[in-house]
Amino acid sequence: MALLDLAPLPVIPAPAPTSTPPAPAVSTSMPDALPSGRPEVTERSLVRRVMARVVSVTGTVLVIGALLAFLFLAVGPRFLGYQTATMLTGSMAPSIVPGDVVVTTQQPVAGVQVGDVISYHIPVEDHRVETHRVIEVITNDDGTTAVRTKGDANEAVDPWIATLDGNYVYEQAFTIPGIGEVIRTLRTPIVSTVLVYGVPAVLVVGLLTMIWGRPAMDTADAAGHVAGAPEVR
């Protein structure tokens, strides 16, 4: 039977602990004061940006409004079969007052009835367009249709009988209150000049303000980031 040598194993001493030098302290304190020029630059840039936005929105609204008015008053009647006329007198008050725009659409002459409000050329004087209410429908011997009309605010009936030529007559569809005064104002020389030259000028000023304001804002933001960075000591 073999015997095992159970001699004790040699003891390996553990390495002595080494000390780790402390990490340098990092100060996270913010600077006591920002550079004196930054608040002023930032405020100026903000004002410029707000002004640019206001000018841009105002110019856009004016351009869109002018475009819609042009389409409604000039293009629409040519392609959509309606007409617009500004009421100049109070003969149809209170339903239609001076300054209102009357929008009329084509209706068959055979369908004209008492109570309809139509626009037609009067058969006397300057043959101007009149917008009055039909109070009587007359069928002439030749089969044509004639009407007698009266303004709602007038005491007397119009002193003529108007024969409606053609197959259609323009009958009131709806009224836009007050817009006629705006149209008349826009047609004055001073306002027309302002619109022709003023609106483009406003758009140019807004564009230049946006261009000038953007670099100033970027510079101010960059200065703010540098000034606000924490110091490492």
Side-chain angles (χ1 to χ4, degrees), residues 125-147:
E125 299 175 355
D126 57 356
H127 300 280
R128 68 182 182 273
V129 175
E130 192 74 81
T131 301
H132 276 179
R133 192 177 302 278
V134 176
I135 62 171
E136 183 181 358
V137 179
I138 304 170
T139 301
N140 297 324
D141 295 336
D142 58 0
T144 58
T145 300
V147 293

Side-chain angles (χ1 to χ4, degrees), residues 65-85 101 103 179 183 187:
L67 179 60
L68 292 177
F70 173 76
L71 292 176
F72 176 73
L73 297 173
V75 179
R78 293 179 178 272
F79 298 98
L80 300 180
Y82 66 85
Q83 288 187 348
T84 60
V101 169
V103 180
I179 194 175
I183 296 173
R187 290 176 178 174

Side-chain angles (χ1 to χ4, degrees), residues 5 21 24 53 58-59 63 66-67 71 84 102 104 113 132 147 155 158 165 171-173 183 191 194 202 214 220 223:
D5 186 5
R53 181 60 59 86
T58 302
V63 171
L67 179 60
L71 292 176
T84 60
V102 181
T104 56
Q113 299 177 357
H132 276 179
V147 293
E155 295 182 359
D158 295 331
D165 298 327
E171 182 179 336
Q172 178 193 14
I183 296 173
V191 177
V194 170
V202 169
R214 189 178 300 278

Side-chain angles (χ1 to χ4, degrees), residues 35-166:
S36 58
R38 181 176 177 269
E40 182 180 357
V41 173
T42 303
E43 183 177 354
R44 261 201 318 266
S45 301
L46 180 60
V47 171
R48 286 180 179 177
R49 178 164 294 187
V50 172
M51 289 179 60
R53 181 60 59 86
V54 171
V55 170
S56 177
V57 171
T58 302
T60 302
V61 170
L62 290 177
V63 171
I64 293 176
L67 179 60
L68 292 177
F70 173 76
L71 292 176
F72 176 73
L73 297 173
V75 179
R78 293 179 178 272
F79 298 98
L80 300 180
Y82 66 85
Q83 288 187 348
T84 60
T86 301
M87 197 67 179
L88 301 179
T89 68
S91 62
M92 285 296 293
S95 58
I96 308 174
V97 298
D100 291 352
V101 169
V102 181
V103 180
T104 56
T105 56
Q106 286 186 342
Q107 302 295 333
V109 169
V112 174
Q113 299 177 357
V114 173
D116 293 342
V117 176
I118 63 174
S119 294
Y120 65 98
H121 292 275
I122 66 174
V124 297
E125 299 175 355
D126 57 356
H127 300 280
R128 68 182 182 273
V129 175
E130 192 74 81
T131 301
H132 276 179
R133 192 177 302 278
V134 176
I135 62 171
E136 183 181 358
V137 179
I138 304 170
T139 301
N140 297 324
D141 295 336
D142 58 0
T144 58
T145 300
V147 293
R148 291 178 65 91
T149 57
K150 174 182 176 298
D152 290 352
N154 294 343
E155 295 182 359
V157 176
D158 295 331
W160 56 73
I161 297 176
T163 299
L164 302 178
D165 298 327

